């Protein structure tokens, strides 16, 4: 599951899920300003990377991101240059323009849950945006809101911040652009998902700069970066079942796993049925959203 060696590319960085490579010195792409973004089959839950991979997850996430980038291209340019990648990572890698990433997780929420709900219960607002009283877990907001967060180190939670905080970090003009783009992307994607019977509760985008232009980077609108809920079971006032990681979360927090979420131990290996059901959910999300069949 660790980053593999790839001809023509030098491994530079591994996040929780993705591995980044630069063109190797002396290769055709050396110095051309690209990076190779490789999605692994690693899965994280409760801020831990689990020891068991989910087969095909990297391919599903890459195919879904590529599909979304195309749906959004009239709203914002994206970083994908080519999908001509080394055979060892075929289907789960993209050659991308190297971006100077903004140090902001650009989150849009159309529904209240997760850290947004926690904040709302404390002070009736999220990231400095006041919300009406009486909202429940899973309530739909009248208008989607931009709720940025700072990027956390591995094992730490991202921290919600105000728009003003973002403006201090990246400048007022860039902050406004990031907010407007994030909300535009959310609105578009929420409509697409709704037509497919999926509630897009919230999503996290990452933008960067290249050649003086703000570009959408990273992955987009995947189950890893977004909360997808089946529309038919959406019901405010309780935790909504999630499309993808629900089996993993349920099992990890059940007595069967023997794992203490608050303790110092890393999570255990997942049982085969949890892996298979989770894989099916990722594939289902892809197929429902894109209307395509996942062929692997
Ligand atoms: P997580 O997403 O799980 O919070 P992470 O963001 O640290 O963790 P990954 O998503 O696994 O890690 O790795 C992707 C990394 O690549 C991120 O740091 C992201 O900002 C960066 N990245 C994405 N696209 C580009 C790009 N075009 N140029 C430069 N860096 C990029
Ligand atoms: Mg990431």
């Amino acid at each position: 599951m660790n980053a593999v060696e790839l001809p023509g590319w030098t491994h530079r960085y591994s996040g929780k899920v993705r591995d980044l490579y630069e063109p190797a010195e002396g290769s055709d792409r050396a110095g051309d300003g690209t990076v190779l973004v490789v999605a692994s089959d690693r899965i994280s839950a409760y801020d831990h990377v689990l020891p068991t991979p989910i087969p095909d997850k990297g391919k599903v996430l890459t195919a879904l991101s590529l599909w979304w980038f195309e749906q959004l291209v009239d709203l914002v340019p994206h970083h994908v240059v080519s999908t001509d990648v080394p055979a060892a990572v075929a289907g789960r890698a993209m050659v991308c323009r190297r971006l100077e990433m903004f140090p902001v997780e650009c989150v849009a929420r159309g529904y209240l849950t997760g850290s947004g709900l926690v904040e709302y219960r404390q002070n009736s607002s999220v990231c400095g945006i006041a919300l009406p009283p009486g909202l429940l877990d899973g309530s739909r907001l009248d208008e989607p809101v931009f709720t940025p967060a700072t990027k956390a180190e591995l094992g730490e939670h991202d921290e919600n911040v105000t728009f003003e905080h973002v403006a201090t970090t990246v400048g007022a003009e860039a902050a406004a652009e990031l907010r407007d783009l994030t909300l535009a992307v959310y609105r578009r994607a929420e409509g697409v998902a709704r037509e497919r019977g999926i509630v897009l509760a919230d999503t996290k985008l990452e933008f960067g700069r290249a050649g003086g232009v703000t570009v959408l980077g990273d992955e987009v609108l995947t189950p890893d970066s977004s909360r997808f809920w089946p529309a038919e079971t959406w019901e405010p006032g309780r935790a909504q079942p999630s499309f993808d990681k629900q089996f993993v979360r349920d099992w990890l927090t059940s007595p069967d796993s023997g794992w203490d979420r608050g303790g110092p131990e890393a999570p255990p290996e997942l049982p085969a049925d949890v892996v298979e059901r989770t894989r099916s959910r990722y594939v289902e999300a892809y197929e429902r959203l894109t209307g395509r069949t996942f062929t692997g």
Side-chain angles (χ1 to χ4, degrees):
M1 247 310 87
N2 292 328
V4 289
E5 274 202 31
L6 297 174
W9 296 92
T10 304
H11 177 241
R12 278 286 173 247
Y13 168 83
S14 288
K16 284 201 278 290
V17 171
R18 260 117 4 112
D19 305 312
L20 254 69
Y21 296 73
E22 269 174 11
E25 256 177 63
S27 71
D28 290 354
R29 285 206 172 274
D32 75 350
T34 60
V35 288
L36 185 71
V37 179
V38 179
S40 74
D41 290 343
R42 297 190 288 272
I43 185 168
S44 67
Y46 300 121
D47 292 322
H48 290 271
V49 177
L50 306 184
T52 319
I54 304 298
D56 290 330
K57 178 172 174 282
K59 285 186 176 173
V60 172
L61 262 58
T62 300
L64 188 54
S65 286
L66 289 167
W67 184 81
W68 277 118
F69 279 129
E70 282 310 303
Q71 308 301 308
L72 302 167
V73 77
D74 60 310
L75 294 177
V76 59
H78 61 72
H79 66 157
V80 180
V81 171
S82 145
T83 52
D84 183 9
V85 300
V89 292
R92 60 184 182 93
M94 318 179 289
V95 179
C96 298
R97 280 173 87 174
R98 170 190 286 282
L99 304 178
E100 186 83 42
M101 301 305 291
F102 287 107
V104 186
E105 307 267 6
C106 292
V107 179
R109 297 171 193 270
Y111 293 76
L112 192 63
T113 192
S115 67
L117 179 68
V118 172
E119 234 192 285
Y120 171 76
R121 285 182 172 158
Q122 280 162 6
N123 50 28
S124 307
S125 69
V126 182
C127 298
I129 302 166
L131 295 176
L135 297 178
L136 305 172
D137 190 355
S139 284
R140 185 171 206 269
L141 304 175
D142 291 336
E143 285 293 325
V145 290
F146 178 59
T147 60
T150 54
K151 246 176 125 63
E153 296 300 316
L154 194 66
E156 301 289 320
H157 267 304
D158 294 345
E159 195 187 333
N160 286 348
V161 295
T162 61
F163 177 79
E164 287 69 31
H165 180 96
V166 177
T168 313
T169 315
V170 303
E173 204 176 313
E177 188 185 23
L178 293 178
R179 177 196 58 205
D180 295 350
L181 286 174
T182 300
L183 290 172
V185 167
Y186 174 83
R187 284 199 173 90
R188 168 77 59 84
E190 191 267 339
V192 171
R194 185 156 24 84
E195 284 170 16
R196 272 58 163 190
I198 292 175
V199 173
L200 174 63
D202 52 38
T203 195
K204 181 210 70 172
L205 305 173
E206 288 187 35
F207 296 91
R209 299 277 291 177
V213 177
T214 298
V215 178
L216 183 55
D218 212 50
E219 64 176 343
V220 279
L221 294 152
T222 69
D224 276 15
S225 64
S226 320
R227 283 192 177 89
F228 293 128
W229 298 333
E232 62 270 20
T233 55
W234 171 61
E235 188 195 328
R238 61 168 169 85
Q240 312 299 312
S242 104
F243 233 102
D244 50 317
K245 290 186 187 171
Q246 200 59 45
F247 300 122
V248 170
R249 294 201 184 115
D250 289 351
W251 183 79
L252 281 175
T253 52
S254 76
D256 293 349
S257 77
W259 183 59
D260 172 13
R261 189 181 156 188
E265 299 288 321
E269 291 274 357
L270 300 173
D273 66 308
V274 173
V275 171
E276 185 42 45
R277 291 162 82 190
T278 303
R279 180 192 172 279
S280 304
R281 292 300 260 176
Y282 275 93
V283 170
E284 190 189 339
Y286 169 81
E287 294 190 337
R288 259 169 95 157
L289 284 165
T290 66
R292 295 179 181 172
T293 303
F294 177 71
T295 51

